[in-house]
Amino acid sequence: LLRLIQQTIEIFEPRLSSIRVQAVESANSGPRVLRFQIEALLKMDPAPEQILFDTTLQLNNGEYQIKSD
């Protein structure tokens, strides 16, 4: 699933490069919750900017929440 998320971002968000999606373990998340981080470089002029998104996906209803630093 994480690889599919990474591939989808690569296809549909050309402003991002060096995309990495990693699972994050959380003791207070339920069994039907997937937490992961999306890390990438945002292509900007004059230099790219590192970005990081913390994402929570509810597997039972498809709801998601994305937070950035």
Side-chain angles (χ1 to χ4, degrees):
L1 180 59
L2 297 175
R3 189 177 327 192
L4 288 173
I5 293 169
Q6 179 177 339
Q7 290 171 346
T8 301
I9 294 169
E10 290 170 348
I11 292 169
F12 292 104
E13 187 47 81
R15 296 173 293 177
L16 297 180
S17 65
S18 303
I19 301 164
R20 196 170 83 184
V21 180
Q22 293 182 313
V24 176
E25 294 209 22
S26 177
N28 53 350
S29 293
R32 306 284 298 162
V33 175
L34 175 63
R35 291 196 59 226
F36 56 95
Q37 286 186 333
I38 301 170
E39 186 176 351
L41 289 176
L42 177 60
K43 298 176 188 174
M44 295 182 63
D45 212 12
E49 184 175 330
Q50 186 77 29
I51 60 167
L52 178 69
F53 297 108
D54 288 313
T55 308
T56 304
L57 174 61
Q58 301 281 340
L59 298 175
N60 57 343
N61 60 14
E63 290 182 13
Y64 60 91
Q65 183 177 25
I66 300 173
K67 296 179 182 177
S68 65
D69 288 340

